[in-house]
Amino acid sequence: VNGDENGGHSDGEGQIQSPRVLLLGMGADEQLGGYGRHRKAFDKGGWERLKEELDMDQARFWERNLGRDDRICADHGKEARFPFLDANVVSFLKGLPLDQICDFSLPPGEGDKRILRLVATRLGLEHAGGLVKRAIQFGSRISHL
């Protein structure tokens, strides 16, 4: 199958078609300590305060983010898939001690989402495993317009 730089593929007749299903990373930050406020919660109250913050994020995630992001994808004719929200993934992560999920003694880009970064590195994705999170509205600087 021939592809293009945007993830499209050839239909065999030379036409490039874009993917219909998107794998999205929603839920990773909320479960793996990926937000800056998770680090602040840990600094203020240790593992107990971090757990409270993560639980709060996970409880409200469904109403705050998921519906909006799913509607955006649907408006563009795409189907969204959320592998981090798979019941088996959520259950597995809930069963791990927090010190196996994140390590805030390490800097941003290393300690946050630590377990995910280790998996990425093991899979040969060293660069991706070391990226510091930047929300699109902040990373793009659009909030400054």
Side-chain angles (χ1 to χ4, degrees):
V1 174
N2 295 325
D4 71 357
E5 69 276 358
N6 296 317
H9 65 277
S10 172
D11 64 3
E13 297 179 17
Q15 296 286 336
I16 300 294
Q17 297 184 357
S18 65
R20 290 179 295 205
V21 176
L22 302 175
L23 295 177
L24 304 175
M26 275 78 110
D29 290 311
E30 290 80 2
Q31 295 179 83
L32 304 175
Y35 292 120
R37 62 186 148 74
H38 294 146
R39 183 177 293 273
K40 289 178 186 171
F42 178 79
D43 289 345
K44 288 181 182 178
W47 296 111
E48 185 177 327
R49 180 65 189 107
L50 173 62
K51 183 181 180 330
E52 291 171 3
E53 189 75 18
L54 292 171
D55 288 346
M56 180 183 65
D57 279 351
Q58 292 167 40
R60 67 183 181 187
F61 179 73
W62 309 100
E63 61 194 42
R64 276 186 83 176
N65 301 47
L66 196 57
R68 174 202 64 209
D69 295 340
D70 190 50
R71 285 189 303 276
I72 290 169
C73 290
D75 284 348
H76 291 276
K78 308 296 180 189
E79 292 183 43
R81 299 290 186 269
F82 307 97
F84 291 104
L85 299 177
D86 176 85
N88 292 320
V89 173
V90 172
S91 177
F92 173 76
L93 293 172
K94 278 285 194 191
L96 292 177
L98 285 177
D99 64 354
Q100 290 184 15
I101 291 175
C102 53
D103 180 356
F104 292 126
S105 70
L106 298 171
E110 291 182 39
D112 50 318
K113 299 183 281 190
R114 181 74 175 148
I115 191 169
L116 183 58
R117 295 175 186 287
L118 292 172
V119 168
T121 299
R122 181 170 279 185
L123 293 172
L125 304 169
E126 291 86 5
H127 177 72
L131 293 173
V132 176
K133 177 182 180 54
R134 291 183 77 176
I136 191 166
Q137 69 271 25
F138 304 121
S140 67
R141 305 278 187 228
I142 198 165
S143 62
H144 296 281
L145 297 178

